[in-house]
């Protein structure tokens, strides 16, 4: 009985920890196998410990080139989707205009549409326009499907804003630009940052839409898929581990800065 009572009191915590362990298990496996020294081409079975791949992460031909290309596309797609998505969010929340309801519905269409359908549609559009498939077609496609996620994040933040704060700034003789920069933008910043981070992750990770509209351009996810057909180099695990650790570090830094701000306000 004491054990059952203890289990009931901590059931939610235990379930949360098990779920977190389940989510992190693939990352742990990738990290462990980044220190593997496979005998053949495939890095699927543990052989022996080695740090050779970490010492030469660009040892596989064209891998770092595809990684650099994916990072460039992700950065520019994040900038484009964040700027456009933020403006769309403010327009949908603050203004009333014809077809506002239709725009609200259509903006979420890329989130609900299967990626293969969107990829084929974009490919048809680019071919009919005579556009050359490559960097720019990938970038346009990524901005398009990232836009919905930015609008969702920023719109939720803008809807929760207290309009009296902006009214108070105007009562203190702040102009429209000054009010936006010093009041509106700082309040909306968490939603904008969330949308930007989500856009970067989705763009960097995308394979289906990119594969349809890339032409001869090879991004990092496409390189990983192609390598899996011939053999999986350990350096892929190294890059994956490094990206995971950077993401964890970014979250930890954000938490520390957030806690400091809360303590200063208190």
């Amino acid at each position: 009985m004491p054990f059952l009572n203890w289990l009931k009191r901590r059931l939610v915590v235990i379930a949360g920890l098990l779920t977190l362990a389940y989510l992190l298990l693939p990352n742990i496996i990738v990290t462990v196998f980044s220190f593997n020294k496979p005998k053949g081409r495939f890095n699927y079975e543990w052989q022996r410990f080695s740090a050779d791949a970490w010492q030469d992460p660009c040892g596989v031909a064209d891998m770092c080139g595809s990684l650099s290309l994916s990072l460039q596309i992700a950065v520019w797609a994040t900038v484009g989707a964040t700027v456009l998505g933020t403006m769309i969010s403010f327009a949908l929340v603050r203004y009333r205009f014809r077809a506002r309801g239709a725009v609200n519905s259509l903006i979420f269409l890329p989130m609900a549409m299967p990626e293969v359908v969107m990829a084929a549609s974009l490919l048809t559009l680019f071919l009919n326009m005579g556009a050359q498939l490559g960097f720019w077609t990938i970038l346009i496609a990524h901005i398009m499907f990232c836009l919905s996620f930015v609008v969702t994040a920023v719109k939720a933040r803008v809807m929760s804003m207290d309009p009296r704060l902006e009214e108070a700034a105007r009562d203190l003789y702040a102009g429209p630009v000054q009010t936006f920069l010093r009041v509106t933008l700082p309040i909306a910043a968490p939603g904008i940052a969330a949308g930007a981070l989500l856009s970067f992750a989705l763009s960097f990770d995308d394979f289906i839409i990119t594969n349809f509209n890339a032409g001869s351009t090879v991004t990092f996810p496409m390189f990983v898929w192609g390598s899996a057909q011939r053999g999986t180099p350990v350096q892929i695990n190294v890059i994956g581990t490094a990206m995971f650790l950077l993401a964890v570090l970014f979250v930890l830094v954000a938490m520390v800065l957030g806690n400091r701000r809360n303590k200063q306000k208190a």
Side-chain angles (χ1 to χ4, degrees), residues 200-257:
F200 182 87
L202 290 169
S203 175
F204 181 82
D205 188 55
D206 182 75
F207 173 78
I208 297 177
I209 295 176
T210 305
N211 191 43
F212 271 74
N213 299 281
S216 59
T217 305
V218 179
T219 61
F220 185 68
M222 295 173 64
F223 179 87
V224 173
W225 180 83
S227 297
Q229 315 303 312
R230 305 182 300 272
T232 310
V234 184
Q235 282 82 354
I236 289 177
N237 295 66
V238 173
I239 299 299
T241 303
M243 297 294 292
F244 172 70
L245 293 177
L246 285 174
V248 172
L249 179 63
F250 185 87
V251 172
L252 292 176
V253 170
M255 289 176 60
V256 171
L257 293 177

Side-chain angles (χ1 to χ4, degrees), residues 71-126:
L71 290 173
Q72 291 178 47
I73 292 173
V75 168
W76 288 113
T78 299
V79 172
T82 303
V83 172
L84 292 174
T86 301
M87 292 191 293
I88 292 172
S89 300
F90 275 96
L92 290 175
V93 174
R94 296 292 180 84
Y95 299 97
R96 299 292 181 268
F97 52 89
R98 290 185 179 181
R100 179 171 172 268
V103 173
N104 258 319
S105 301
L106 289 174
I107 205 69
F108 298 106
L109 193 59
M111 298 175 64
M113 184 183 298
E115 282 196 35
V116 66
V117 176
M118 185 185 299
S121 302
L122 286 169
L123 176 60
T124 303
L125 173 65
F126 291 139

Side-chain angles (χ1 to χ4, degrees), residues 28 50 184 187 207:
I28 295 173
S50 174
T184 308
I187 297 175
F207 173 78

Side-chain angles (χ1 to χ4, degrees), residues 80-208:
T82 303
V83 172
L84 292 174
T86 301
M87 292 191 293
I88 292 172
S89 300
F90 275 96
L92 290 175
V93 174
R94 296 292 180 84
Y95 299 97
R96 299 292 181 268
F97 52 89
R98 290 185 179 181
R100 179 171 172 268
V103 173
N104 258 319
S105 301
L106 289 174
I107 205 69
F108 298 106
L109 193 59
M111 298 175 64
M113 184 183 298
E115 282 196 35
V116 66
V117 176
M118 185 185 299
S121 302
L122 286 169
L123 176 60
T124 303
L125 173 65
F126 291 139
L127 291 177
N128 287 332
M129 293 176 59
Q132 184 177 358
L133 299 180
F135 179 90
W136 293 107
T137 55
I138 297 174
L139 181 59
I140 293 171
H142 283 205
I143 292 175
M144 181 173 291
F145 74 77
C146 288
L147 194 60
S148 299
F149 295 92
V150 176
V151 172
T152 302
V154 179
K155 185 181 174 185
R157 184 66 179 179
V158 175
M159 290 178 68
S160 66
M161 290 172 57
D162 189 351
R164 290 175 297 181
L165 297 174
E166 295 172 301
E167 293 173 2
R170 288 192 290 268
D171 289 341
L172 295 172
Y173 304 103
V177 176
Q178 196 173 16
T179 301
F180 178 78
L181 293 177
R182 296 198 174 187
V183 178
T184 308
L185 190 58
I187 297 175
I192 298 173
L197 291 174
L198 190 57
S199 295
F200 182 87
L202 290 169
S203 175
F204 181 82
D205 188 55
D206 182 75
F207 173 78
I208 297 177

